């Protein structure tokens, strides 16, 4: 038996706009330099990936990505400084929540 803790951000209408999926997508873009390639790696359509990012950007009020249109040197997508900061804070918050959840689980159920 185990308990599961998920960190999800919702807006005032209780609609999810950020969680582990968008986090993984953005970290993949950071690594690959490409929204399309990352979406394909994750088995997600480009349009769904774009919608996830656009929705989070709308709710948070800043852009996660700088997009460079293709051409001779090729295009790409890169995290903005605000985007990097948000991801780092999300990761630290998520990890702290998971650690506290693990501690509480051990307190209430006495298992590791």
């Amino acid at each position: 038996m185990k308990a599961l803790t998920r960190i999800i951000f919702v807006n005032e209408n209780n609609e999810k706009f950020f969680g582990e999926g968008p986090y993984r997508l953005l970290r993949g873009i950071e690594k690959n330099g490409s929204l399309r390639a990352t979406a394909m790696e994750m088995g997600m359509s480009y349009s769904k990936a774009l919608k996830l990012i656009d929705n989070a950007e709308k709710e948070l009020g800043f852009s996660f990505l700088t997009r460079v249109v293709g051409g001779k040197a090729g295009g790409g997508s890169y995290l903005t400084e605000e985007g990097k900061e948000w991801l780092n804070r999300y990761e630290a918050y998520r990890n702290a929540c998971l650690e506290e959840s693990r501690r509480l689980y051990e307190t209430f159920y006495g298992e590791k």
Side-chain angles (χ1 to χ4, degrees), residues 3-9 16 19-20 90 94 97-98 101:
L4 206 61
T5 301
R6 293 189 177 150
I7 306 304
I8 299 169
F9 286 85
K16 177 182 171 181
E20 203 60 23
Y90 170 83
R94 179 202 60 200
C97 288
L98 292 172
S101 178

Side-chain angles (χ1 to χ4, degrees), residues 1 12 22 28 33 44 47 50 53 57 59 61 66 74 78 80 82 102 104 110:
M1 176 174 80
E12 61 279 346
M44 180 185 303
S47 60
L50 189 57
I53 293 170
E57 289 177 337
E59 291 295 335
T66 298
Y78 308 94
T80 62
E82 285 179 304
R102 183 198 57 76
L104 289 169

Side-chain angles (χ1 to χ4, degrees), residues 38-96:
T38 302
M40 285 178 60
E41 268 182 15
M42 295 177 69
M44 180 185 303
S45 72
Y46 175 81
S47 60
K48 179 173 179 165
L50 189 57
K51 185 177 176 180
L52 285 173
I53 293 170
D54 286 345
N55 190 38
E57 289 177 337
K58 182 182 123 244
E59 291 295 335
L60 293 168
F62 65 85
S63 295
F64 275 102
L65 300 175
T66 298
R67 296 172 182 119
V68 178
V69 178
K72 193 173 186 178
S77 295
Y78 308 94
L79 288 179
T80 62
E81 288 305 313
E82 285 179 304
K84 289 177 188 178
E85 176 63 26
W86 171 265
L87 291 183
N88 291 338
R89 287 174 45 205
Y90 170 83
E91 190 174 291
Y93 177 70
R94 179 202 60 200
N95 292 346

